[in-house]
Amino acid sequence: MDLRLLLGTGIRIFAICMALEAFRTLYSIKQAQLLSSVDSAGYILSVIYMVVAVISWLFPLNISAIIVPSTENLEKSEVKPIEFARVSTSLFALYLILNNIWALFPGYVLFSNKFDIDPTTLSSAILTTVAGLIILLNNKKIAMLMCK
């Protein structure tokens, strides 16, 4: 496996991150609309995230060829693409879980009626943590999809 294929797999993981961020932004906007009026800038940002995610998912090798020109000396690696994708997917899932677990602790306090917390933040953290758990538990299937 050469450097471009490794980078292409990383670009597909980036595409998954961008798609999740687009959905999270859209969800946050919808929740904020319930509380007050929101301008269209959030929608534009969500669309930009999704466009970048789709382009990154569909053309990872073209993007990696731009990042690593053909004049570079490309060495072969002993890592199989599926192994790299599984490790990367698992690390991404752990990042999602650990990044949002801190938002869940105030949620626990909320349910024990000691402090107030924004319900949008709590629900976003719960959804993102659940998404991270689903990705972590299905990392082989997601890695196989990324390596197609």
Side-chain angles (χ1 to χ4, degrees):
M1 180 172 193
D2 66 355
L3 181 61
R4 286 192 190 146
L5 289 175
L6 286 171
L7 188 57
T9 305
I11 290 170
R12 283 212 164 157
I13 293 169
F14 172 75
I16 294 171
C17 293
M18 292 302 286
L20 287 174
E21 186 65 28
F23 288 124
R24 187 176 74 92
T25 303
L26 191 61
Y27 178 74
S28 296
I29 291 169
K30 288 293 186 186
Q31 292 297 324
Q33 279 182 338
L34 296 175
L35 301 175
S36 65
S37 63
V38 177
D39 59 357
S40 63
Y43 289 111
I44 294 170
L45 183 63
S46 184
V47 168
I48 290 171
Y49 283 154
M50 191 53 75
V51 167
V52 170
V54 168
I55 291 172
S56 298
W57 183 264
L58 294 177
F59 306 108
L61 294 179
N62 295 348
I63 296 170
S64 65
I66 293 169
I67 295 172
V68 180
S70 61
T71 59
E72 296 283 327
N73 183 12
L74 303 176
E75 296 181 13
K76 297 284 183 184
S77 173
E78 297 298 322
V79 178
K80 294 179 183 175
I82 190 74
E83 294 170 353
F84 178 74
R86 285 189 75 181
V87 169
S88 301
T89 305
S90 298
L91 289 174
F92 169 67
L94 289 173
Y95 166 76
L96 282 178
I97 294 166
L98 293 175
N99 191 33
N100 289 289
I101 200 87
W102 298 112
L104 294 178
F105 283 118
Y108 173 75
V109 173
L110 170 71
F111 291 126
S112 64
N113 294 327
K114 293 186 180 175
F115 294 105
D116 290 331
I117 188 172
D118 180 24
T120 305
T121 305
L122 179 63
S123 60
S124 176
I126 290 171
L127 288 175
T128 309
T129 304
V130 168
L133 287 170
I134 291 170
I135 292 170
L136 186 63
L137 295 175
N138 294 312
N139 68 11
K140 185 175 182 179
K141 292 175 188 175
I142 295 170
M144 288 172 42
L145 181 66
M146 285 192 309
C147 290
K148 281 186 178 181

